[in-house]
Amino acid sequence: MERLRARLVAVRYLLATAWPIVLITAIGLIVAYQFVEPEPPRQMTISTGSEAGAYYAYAQRYAPLLAEKGITLEVMTSAGSLENLQRLESGEADIAFVQGGIVPPADDPESTRLRSLGSVSYEPVWVFYGGAEPIDKLYQLAGQRVAVGEEGSGIRGLALQLLAANDIPAQSRNLLPMASLAAAEALQQGEIDATFVVAAQEAPVVQVLLRSPGLSVVSFSQADAYLRLFPFLSKIVLPQGVVDLVRDVPPQDTVLLATTANVVVRDDLHPALANLLLQAMTEVNGKGGFFQHAGEFPAYKDHSLVLSDDARRYYESGPPFLQRYLPFWLAVLVERLFVMALPLIMLSLPLLKLAPAIYNWRVRSKVFRCYGDLKFLENDLRHHYDPLRHQDYVARLDRIEDDASTRSIPLAFTDLLYTLREHINLVREKLHRLETTDDKEKEE
């Protein structure tokens, strides 16, 4: 029973020492939790374009790659980039494809919630025209009937910018709001003089117009000037005969302008999902193509929007370390735990080093209180001894000894009590000597 009581005393001291450490650690845990990202959602929505467009095709290829990681990608069709941006801003979509140059430059790009994950491909700007007179400058289209795309489409926004730079105002009656397929048919039938098409080389409408007799493509002789005026544009070349070697289509190298297809998200997209999407973009869009080299995309080419911090880290160092070697959800769990564990470890190590000293101090302080009373009594005897108060001195000494005997401390520190009792006896002997000396003086 005594051994059990002694162990309980040790446990009590241990708990008394541990609770401040536990409290500080708990506070650290609460603070660290504020910096832990919540678990990523298992579903995302992407706004693309028409089902016949490249955006929709890219999204359909992203979906199975994300599904392998347990993420469902819902693909939404749209009328174009402007509608995609509206869906992003309203929260209707988490991700959207946006044509380069659609977002007007802002005075403070950081103020917007939209972020770019980078460009995934070039989007050539084709300007098809009919007639025998060659055209290599857009101002030559002044006064002609030109299809510039439907209202709200990315094609229209870009075409109007380029034409405005050539003193052809957007309000001109000759600029017709026609979709690409309708405009292609009208151009073949001679109902219009030219049409803008922004699409990949393999797009059906492009292939049809390239092979249509009597139609040509504008080769931009001022391409370098456009690149200075519109930084989101690039210059690409359609080589002679690449469409049809036998018929030599096109008959000479054709210089084209190209915008980019960009993946845009809101700034609150979960970092783990952003990295997963970037990996899918690399898998789908990182291969070589008609106008691009292998590994050229994804890349940050259109600076109209601020590059996401997650994308910047991805382009600098690749996927997160854990996602390279662990299954996605396990990597996410470990990353979340690490954010919490690291500060706790940094906080706990010094506290654990202090714990033995605190424990030792708490136990010894119980004994040192008795030493304090004993020291006061000894000083009183040495400097202010009064024979008339002898019984009071004895009573104080007895109280100190009783207090020391009833102190409950762990067995490992019992030697402190025995040492204290020895010192009490030394003071008791000194008190006895003072009493004896006083009696002798009285007898003399």
Side-chain angles (χ1 to χ4, degrees), residues 106-149:
D107 295 333
D108 181 15
E110 295 284 351
S111 62
T112 176
R113 295 195 59 192
L114 301 183
R115 295 291 182 270
S116 171
L117 292 187
S119 307
V120 293
S121 66
Y122 288 120
E123 292 197 302
V125 181
W126 310 86
V127 183
F128 292 97
Y129 65 94
E133 188 69 26
I135 296 177
D136 62 356
K137 299 177 181 65
L138 290 185
Y139 65 74
Q140 294 174 265
L141 296 175
Q144 299 191 40
R145 300 162 298 174
V146 182
V148 293

Side-chain angles (χ1 to χ4, degrees), residues 22-236:
V22 173
L23 178 61
I24 294 173
T25 304
I27 294 174
L29 182 64
I30 294 172
V31 173
Y33 185 77
Q34 307 306 312
F35 297 92
V36 177
E37 290 283 350
E39 183 179 271
R42 294 179 179 267
Q43 181 172 335
M44 295 188 293
T45 302
I46 184 169
S47 187
T48 58
S50 69
E51 293 186 2
Y55 295 168
Y56 185 83
Y58 291 152
Q60 290 295 332
R61 295 173 66 185
Y62 296 161
L65 295 176
L66 297 176
E68 292 176 2
K69 308 296 184 181
I71 304 298
T72 301
L73 183 65
E74 181 184 351
V75 181
M76 302 171 62
T77 58
S78 74
S81 297
L82 293 180
E83 185 178 357
N84 292 346
L85 285 173
Q86 292 171 359
R87 286 177 175 175
L88 268 184
E89 292 171 345
S90 66
E92 189 178 350
D94 305 302
I95 314 158
F97 281 103
V98 176
Q99 180 181 297
I102 291 300
V103 180
D107 295 333
D108 181 15
E110 295 284 351
S111 62
T112 176
R113 295 195 59 192
L114 301 183
R115 295 291 182 270
S116 171
L117 292 187
S119 307
V120 293
S121 66
Y122 288 120
E123 292 197 302
V125 181
W126 310 86
V127 183
F128 292 97
Y129 65 94
E133 188 69 26
I135 296 177
D136 62 356
K137 299 177 181 65
L138 290 185
Y139 65 74
Q140 294 174 265
L141 296 175
Q144 299 191 40
R145 300 162 298 174
V146 182
V148 293
E150 296 176 292
E151 293 286 349
S153 66
I155 299 173
R156 183 179 180 84
L158 178 58
L160 293 181
Q161 287 186 71
L162 298 180
L163 291 172
N166 287 271
D167 292 336
I168 300 177
Q171 298 78 15
S172 174
R173 295 180 180 180
N174 292 323
L175 302 184
L176 309 174
M178 301 176 67
S180 296
L181 292 176
E185 184 177 350
L187 181 61
Q188 289 173 320
Q189 295 176 1
E191 297 174 1
I192 60 175
D193 302 304
T195 181
F196 278 78
V197 177
V198 178
Q201 180 270 344
E202 60 268 20
V205 64
V206 174
Q207 287 296 314
V208 167
L209 291 176
L210 283 173
R211 288 176 167 81
S212 296
L215 298 185
S216 304
V217 181
V218 172
S219 181
F220 289 86
S221 60
Q222 300 171 312
D224 291 327
Y226 282 102
L227 268 55
R228 297 295 182 87
L229 295 172
F230 304 99
F232 58 86
L233 292 176
S234 302
K235 182 172 72 172
I236 57 177

Side-chain angles (χ1 to χ4, degrees), residues 87-382:
R87 286 177 175 175
L88 268 184
E89 292 171 345
S90 66
E92 189 178 350
D94 305 302
I95 314 158
F97 281 103
V98 176
Q99 180 181 297
I102 291 300
V103 180
D107 295 333
D108 181 15
E110 295 284 351
S111 62
T112 176
R113 295 195 59 192
L114 301 183
R115 295 291 182 270
S116 171
L117 292 187
S119 307
V120 293
S121 66
Y122 288 120
E123 292 197 302
V125 181
W126 310 86
V127 183
F128 292 97
Y129 65 94
E133 188 69 26
I135 296 177
D136 62 356
K137 299 177 181 65
L138 290 185
Y139 65 74
Q140 294 174 265
L141 296 175
Q144 299 191 40
R145 300 162 298 174
V146 182
V148 293
E150 296 176 292
E151 293 286 349
S153 66
I155 299 173
R156 183 179 180 84
L158 178 58
L160 293 181
Q161 287 186 71
L162 298 180
L163 291 172
N166 287 271
D167 292 336
I168 300 177
Q171 298 78 15
S172 174
R173 295 180 180 180
N174 292 323
L175 302 184
L176 309 174
M178 301 176 67
S180 296
L181 292 176
E185 184 177 350
L187 181 61
Q188 289 173 320
Q189 295 176 1
E191 297 174 1
I192 60 175
D193 302 304
T195 181
F196 278 78
V197 177
V198 178
Q201 180 270 344
E202 60 268 20
V205 64
V206 174
Q207 287 296 314
V208 167
L209 291 176
L210 283 173
R211 288 176 167 81
S212 296
L215 298 185
S216 304
V217 181
V218 172
S219 181
F220 289 86
S221 60
Q222 300 171 312
D224 291 327
Y226 282 102
L227 268 55
R228 297 295 182 87
L229 295 172
F230 304 99
F232 58 86
L233 292 176
S234 302
K235 182 172 72 172
I236 57 177
V237 176
L238 184 69
Q240 178 180 348
V242 74
V243 176
D244 192 323
L245 288 171
V246 176
R247 295 177 178 81
D248 196 27
V249 180
Q252 65 276 326
D253 287 353
T254 303
V255 179
L256 302 176
L257 297 176
T259 182
T260 50
N262 304 292
V263 177
V264 181
V265 299
R266 290 195 310 276
D267 58 2
D268 59 355
L269 182 69
H270 197 286
L273 296 183
N275 278 288
L276 200 59
L277 183 58
L278 283 161
Q279 294 174 52
M281 290 160 57
T282 302
E283 176 71 20
V284 172
N285 304 105
K287 302 178 176 62
F290 199 83
F291 292 112
Q292 68 195 54
H293 304 293
E296 186 174 357
F297 291 101
Y300 185 42
K301 291 184 177 291
D302 182 359
H303 293 228
S304 301
L305 287 172
V306 176
L307 184 65
S308 160
D309 292 336
D310 301 306
R312 180 175 289 105
R313 286 189 290 269
Y314 181 86
Y315 293 136
E316 291 174 354
S317 55
F321 177 78
L322 292 176
Q323 290 189 26
R324 300 178 196 176
Y325 305 103
L326 297 177
F328 174 71
W329 288 104
L330 179 59
V332 170
L333 176 62
V334 173
E335 286 174 356
R336 297 177 70 225
L337 292 177
F338 180 77
V339 173
M340 295 182 64
L342 183 60
L344 290 183
I345 292 173
M346 300 298 293
L347 184 64
S348 299
L349 285 177
L351 291 177
L352 292 175
K353 287 184 178 180
L354 288 174
I358 297 174
Y359 179 79
N360 188 60
W361 172 81
R362 290 188 66 88
V363 176
R364 290 177 178 273
S365 66
K366 299 290 185 180
V367 179
F368 291 162
R369 290 174 188 172
C370 295
Y371 270 109
D373 294 338
L374 185 63
K375 182 63 178 177
F376 290 141
L377 176 58
E378 184 182 16
N379 288 339
D380 202 8
L381 294 177
R382 180 179 298 172

Side-chain angles (χ1 to χ4, degrees), residues 6 9-11 13-14 17 355-368 371 404 407-421:
V9 170
V11 171
Y13 275 94
L14 184 62
T17 303
I358 297 174
Y359 179 79
N360 188 60
W361 172 81
R362 290 188 66 88
V363 176
R364 290 177 178 273
S365 66
K366 299 290 185 180
V367 179
F368 291 162
Y371 270 109
R407 289 279 176 181
S408 297
I409 61 174
L411 289 175
F413 295 87
T414 307
D415 61 315
L416 296 177
L417 289 180
Y418 285 102
T419 303
L420 173 60
R421 293 172 69 179

